[in-house]
Amino acid sequence: MVRRFRTGTTVSISCLCFLSLLTPCRPTTVQKPSPYSYDLGHLAAIDPNPLPSTSILLSQSLPDRNATLRAIARDGAQTLLNTFLTTCSITSTSDGLVMALPPTTQQLPRWKPLPKPKQPTKWELFARKKGIGKYGGSGKGGAALEERRKNMVYDEEKGEWVKRWGYKGKNKDEENDWLVELDDKTIKRESEGLGGEGQSVRGEGRRERKERIKRQDRRQRNNERRNRKGGTID
């Protein structure tokens, strides 16, 4: 039995010399109708010549059959050894002579299939849906990542992305302005009370937003009632 010793991209010369000592009486040159091809990085020699037919092998005795197959294997090992000694560089180290192997030219198939992707747990599915933890991004909320991105706008004053609507949304910036611009129409409306006693123009933006929300809620309820009755929806 012949063992193959290999470390990284180098192979010990003593291993190759051991192969040559197996059959010292055979010639070192190998003649074949079709030349061998090699993948020296994998220590492989590919013989394109066909083996003897099954009928010929079965017609031989067992010792002759084994001798035929050993001769074919010996020729492959001899031509591989010849190619190593003529094409690869040999250096002397403290461990002895070392031969550097070239890169491999063929991809070997995997022994086992590729691992299947791990299925997400129930918590990961829930966190991805709700935007919790590592799935939260810069805007944590109750929407998917794509939906949260649609609700983001860049605030040049703060230098960061903020929500477009909702809690601390960009649409509430004007409500917290320390300086409010007034025109004659707004001053007149403020003097008349803006529709309520003690109200000022500073809180008008918040009141208008609240009114829009109320109007939208009323329209939604009306549409739901029409839908239940079979009518059309606005």
Side-chain angles (χ1 to χ4, degrees):
M1 177 178 175
V2 179
R3 292 188 178 180
R4 184 176 65 188
F5 302 93
R6 202 177 159 200
T7 305
T9 58
T10 62
V11 63
S12 174
I13 299 301
S14 60
C15 174
L16 299 179
C17 293
F18 176 72
L19 293 176
S20 64
L21 293 176
L22 294 177
T23 54
C25 298
R26 294 293 186 94
T28 58
T29 58
V30 178
Q31 299 294 333
K32 289 285 186 175
S34 299
Y36 287 84
S37 59
Y38 304 95
D39 187 350
L40 299 182
H42 286 140
L43 305 179
I46 297 93
D47 186 0
N49 300 282
L51 292 172
S53 63
T54 305
S55 59
I56 295 177
L57 292 175
L58 292 178
S59 64
Q60 296 175 345
S61 62
L62 183 58
D64 293 340
R65 189 187 312 156
N66 290 337
T68 301
L69 297 177
R70 279 198 301 268
I72 296 173
R74 179 264 168 197
D75 290 343
Q78 182 64 61
T79 185
L80 180 61
L81 179 59
N82 296 342
T83 306
F84 278 133
L85 296 177
T86 55
T87 59
C88 298
S89 61
I90 301 174
T91 57
S92 178
T93 65
S94 59
D95 296 329
L97 296 178
V98 175
M99 176 182 294
L101 298 180
T104 59
T105 59
Q106 297 182 5
Q107 289 282 353
L108 295 180
R110 289 179 59 92
W111 177 44
K112 293 183 178 181
L114 289 173
K116 296 181 180 180
K118 184 180 179 181
Q119 295 295 329
T121 62
K122 291 184 178 180
W123 165 251
E124 289 175 343
L125 294 175
F126 177 79
R128 185 181 292 112
K129 180 180 179 181
K130 297 297 182 180
I132 301 174
K134 63 180 180 181
Y135 304 104
S138 58
K140 298 180 180 179
L145 181 60
E146 292 78 8
E147 295 298 327
R148 292 199 308 275
R149 287 176 177 173
K150 295 179 182 178
N151 192 27
M152 304 296 289
V153 64
Y154 187 74
D155 192 335
E156 296 182 356
E157 295 181 359
K158 298 180 180 179
E160 60 182 9
W161 291 87
V162 297
K163 289 187 175 182
R164 193 184 302 270
W165 302 284
Y167 178 67
K168 294 184 178 180
K170 182 68 174 176
N171 62 327
K172 299 185 180 66
D173 286 351
E174 297 180 357
E175 298 177 7
N176 301 321
D177 288 343
W178 67 274
L179 181 64
V180 180
E181 183 179 359
L182 300 178
D183 53 15
D184 295 339
K185 184 178 180 180
T186 305
I187 294 175
K188 182 178 180 180
R189 290 182 58 200
E190 186 176 19
S191 62
E192 295 175 356
L194 293 172
E197 184 67 25
Q199 294 182 356
S200 64
V201 70
R202 181 172 293 279
E204 185 177 8
R206 177 179 175 83
R207 287 192 297 272
E208 290 181 354
R209 181 169 54 82
K210 293 293 185 181
E211 287 297 328
R212 288 197 300 270
I213 294 175
K214 291 180 181 179
R215 288 195 297 270
Q216 178 62 27
D217 290 340
R218 287 195 296 269
R219 285 195 295 266
Q220 184 177 353
R221 289 194 296 269
N222 292 335
N223 289 335
E224 290 175 354
R225 286 195 295 269
R226 293 192 187 96
N227 190 28
R228 286 194 296 266
K229 294 179 181 179
T232 59
I233 298 178
D234 295 343

